[in-house]
CSV table of all heavy atoms in Angstrom, one decimal:
chain,number,residue,atom,x,y,z
A,188,CYS,N,-5.2,0.8,3.9
A,188,CYS,CA,-4.0,1.2,3.1
A,188,CYS,C,-3.5,0.0,2.3
A,188,CYS,O,-3.1,0.1,1.1
A,188,CYS,CB,-2.8,1.6,4.1
A,188,CYS,SG,-3.0,3.3,4.7
A,189,LEU,N,-3.4,-1.2,3.0
A,189,LEU,CA,-2.9,-2.4,2.3
A,189,LEU,C,-3.8,-2.8,1.1
A,189,LEU,O,-3.3,-3.3,0.1
A,189,LEU,CB,-2.6,-3.5,3.3
A,189,LEU,CG,-1.5,-3.2,4.3
A,189,LEU,CD1,-1.5,-4.3,5.4
A,189,LEU,CD2,-0.1,-3.2,3.6
A,190,ALA,N,-5.1,-2.7,1.3
A,190,ALA,CA,-6.0,-3.1,0.3
A,190,ALA,C,-5.9,-2.1,-0.9
A,190,ALA,O,-5.8,-2.6,-2.1
A,190,ALA,CB,-7.5,-3.0,0.8
A,191,LEU,N,-5.8,-0.8,-0.6
A,191,LEU,CA,-5.6,0.1,-1.7
A,191,LEU,C,-4.3,0.0,-2.4
A,191,LEU,O,-4.2,0.1,-3.7
A,191,LEU,CB,-5.8,1.6,-1.2
A,191,LEU,CG,-5.7,2.7,-2.2
A,191,LEU,CD1,-6.7,2.5,-3.3
A,191,LEU,CD2,-6.0,4.0,-1.5
A,192,ARG,N,-3.2,-0.4,-1.7
A,192,ARG,CA,-1.9,-0.6,-2.3
A,192,ARG,C,-2.0,-1.8,-3.3
A,192,ARG,O,-1.6,-1.7,-4.4
A,192,ARG,CB,-0.9,-1.0,-1.2
A,192,ARG,CG,0.4,-1.5,-1.8
A,192,ARG,CD,1.4,-2.0,-0.7
A,192,ARG,NE,2.5,-2.7,-1.3
A,192,ARG,CZ,2.5,-4.0,-1.5
A,192,ARG,NH1,1.5,-4.7,-1.1
A,192,ARG,NH2,3.6,-4.6,-2.0
A,193,LEU,N,-2.6,-2.9,-2.9
A,193,LEU,CA,-2.8,-4.0,-3.8
A,193,LEU,C,-3.6,-3.6,-5.0
A,193,LEU,O,-3.3,-4.1,-6.2
A,193,LEU,CB,-3.4,-5.2,-3.1
A,193,LEU,CG,-2.6,-5.9,-2.0
A,193,LEU,CD1,-3.4,-6.9,-1.2
A,193,LEU,CD2,-1.4,-6.6,-2.6
A,194,ALA,N,-4.6,-2.8,-4.8
A,194,ALA,CA,-5.5,-2.4,-6.0
A,194,ALA,C,-4.7,-1.5,-6.9
A,194,ALA,O,-4.8,-1.7,-8.2
A,194,ALA,CB,-6.7,-1.7,-5.4
A,195,LEU,N,-3.9,-0.6,-6.4
A,195,LEU,CA,-3.1,0.3,-7.3
A,195,LEU,C,-2.1,-0.5,-8.1
A,195,LEU,O,-1.9,-0.2,-9.3
A,195,LEU,CB,-2.5,1.4,-6.4
A,195,LEU,CG,-3.4,2.4,-5.8
A,195,LEU,CD1,-2.7,3.3,-4.8
A,195,LEU,CD2,-4.1,3.2,-6.8
A,196,ILE,N,-1.5,-1.5,-7.5
A,196,ILE,CA,-0.5,-2.3,-8.2
A,196,ILE,C,-1.3,-3.1,-9.3
A,196,ILE,O,-0.8,-3.2,-10.4
A,196,ILE,CB,0.2,-3.3,-7.2
A,196,ILE,CG1,1.1,-2.5,-6.3
A,196,ILE,CG2,1.0,-4.4,-8.0
A,196,ILE,CD1,1.7,-3.3,-5.1
A,197,GLN,N,-2.5,-3.6,-9.0
A,197,GLN,CA,-3.3,-4.3,-10.0
A,197,GLN,C,-3.6,-3.4,-11.2
A,197,GLN,O,-3.6,-3.8,-12.3
A,197,GLN,CB,-4.6,-4.7,-9.3
A,197,GLN,CG,-5.4,-5.6,-10.2
A,197,GLN,CD,-6.7,-6.0,-9.5
A,197,GLN,OE1,-7.8,-5.9,-10.1
A,197,GLN,NE2,-6.7,-6.5,-8.3
A,198,LEU,N,-3.7,-2.1,-10.9
A,198,LEU,CA,-4.0,-1.1,-12.0
A,198,LEU,C,-2.7,-0.6,-12.7
A,198,LEU,O,-2.8,0.2,-13.6
A,198,LEU,CB,-4.7,0.1,-11.4
A,198,LEU,CG,-6.1,-0.1,-10.9
A,198,LEU,CD1,-6.7,1.1,-10.1
A,198,LEU,CD2,-7.1,-0.5,-12.0
A,199,GLY,N,-1.6,-1.2,-12.3
A,199,GLY,CA,-0.3,-0.8,-13.0
A,199,GLY,C,0.3,0.4,-12.4
A,199,GLY,O,1.2,1.0,-13.1
A,200,LYS,N,-0.1,0.8,-11.2
A,200,LYS,CA,0.5,2.0,-10.6
A,200,LYS,C,1.5,1.6,-9.5
A,200,LYS,O,1.5,0.4,-9.1
A,200,LYS,CB,-0.6,2.9,-10.0
A,200,LYS,CG,-1.6,3.4,-11.1
A,200,LYS,CD,-2.7,4.2,-10.4
A,200,LYS,CE,-3.8,4.6,-11.5
A,200,LYS,NZ,-3.3,5.7,-12.4
A,201,LYS,N,2.3,2.5,-9.1
A,201,LYS,CA,3.3,2.3,-8.0
A,201,LYS,C,2.6,2.8,-6.7
A,201,LYS,O,2.0,3.8,-6.6
A,201,LYS,CB,4.6,3.0,-8.2
A,201,LYS,CG,5.4,2.5,-9.4
A,201,LYS,CD,6.5,3.4,-9.7
A,201,LYS,CE,7.5,3.5,-8.6
A,201,LYS,NZ,8.7,4.3,-8.9
A,202,ALA,N,2.8,2.0,-5.6
A,202,ALA,CA,2.3,2.5,-4.3
A,202,ALA,C,3.1,1.8,-3.2
A,202,ALA,O,3.5,0.7,-3.2
A,202,ALA,CB,0.8,2.0,-4.2
A,203,ILE,N,3.3,2.7,-2.1
A,203,ILE,CA,3.9,2.2,-0.9
A,203,ILE,C,2.9,2.6,0.3
A,203,ILE,O,2.2,3.6,0.1
A,203,ILE,CB,5.3,2.7,-0.6
A,203,ILE,CG1,5.3,4.3,-0.6
A,203,ILE,CG2,6.3,2.2,-1.7
A,203,ILE,CD1,6.6,4.9,-0.1
A,204,VAL,N,3.0,1.9,1.4
A,204,VAL,CA,2.3,2.2,2.6
A,204,VAL,C,3.3,2.7,3.6
A,204,VAL,O,4.3,2.0,3.8
A,204,VAL,CB,1.5,1.1,3.1
A,204,VAL,CG1,0.8,1.4,4.5
A,204,VAL,CG2,0.4,0.6,2.1
A,205,ALA,N,3.0,3.8,4.3
A,205,ALA,CA,3.9,4.4,5.3
A,205,ALA,C,3.2,4.6,6.6
A,205,ALA,O,2.1,5.0,6.6
A,205,ALA,CB,4.5,5.7,4.8
A,206,CYS,N,3.9,4.3,7.7
A,206,CYS,CA,3.4,4.5,9.0
A,206,CYS,C,4.6,4.6,10.0
A,206,CYS,O,5.6,3.9,9.9
A,206,CYS,CB,2.5,3.3,9.5
A,206,CYS,SG,1.8,3.4,11.1
A,207,VAL,N,4.5,5.6,10.9
A,207,VAL,CA,5.7,5.8,11.8
A,207,VAL,C,5.9,4.7,12.8
A,207,VAL,O,7.0,4.4,13.2
A,207,VAL,CB,5.5,7.2,12.5
A,207,VAL,CG1,5.6,8.3,11.6
A,207,VAL,CG2,4.2,7.2,13.3
A,208,ASP,N,4.8,4.0,13.1
A,208,ASP,CA,4.9,2.9,14.1
A,208,ASP,C,4.9,1.6,13.5
A,208,ASP,O,4.3,1.4,12.4
A,208,ASP,CB,3.7,3.1,15.1
A,208,ASP,CG,3.8,4.3,16.0
A,208,ASP,OD1,5.0,4.6,16.3
A,208,ASP,OD2,2.8,4.8,16.4
A,209,PRO,N,5.4,0.6,14.2
A,209,PRO,CA,5.4,-0.8,13.6
A,209,PRO,C,4.0,-1.4,13.6
A,209,PRO,O,3.1,-0.9,14.3
A,209,PRO,CB,6.3,-1.6,14.6
A,209,PRO,CG,6.8,-0.6,15.7
A,209,PRO,CD,6.1,0.7,15.5
A,210,VAL,N,3.9,-2.4,12.7
A,210,VAL,CA,2.6,-3.1,12.6
A,210,VAL,C,2.4,-3.9,13.9
A,210,VAL,O,3.3,-4.7,14.3
A,210,VAL,CB,2.6,-4.0,11.4
A,210,VAL,CG1,1.3,-4.8,11.4
A,210,VAL,CG2,2.8,-3.3,10.1
A,211,PRO,N,1.3,-3.7,14.6
A,211,PRO,CA,1.0,-4.5,15.8
A,211,PRO,C,1.0,-6.0,15.5
A,211,PRO,O,0.7,-6.4,14.4
A,211,PRO,CB,-0.4,-4.1,16.2
A,211,PRO,CG,-0.6,-2.8,15.6
A,211,PRO,CD,0.1,-2.8,14.3
């Protein structure tokens, strides 16, 4: 998710990552 988010931002798109649980 985080890699794809960075890639989408690089492409000029908007992106957020969502998860119900906290990051370990």
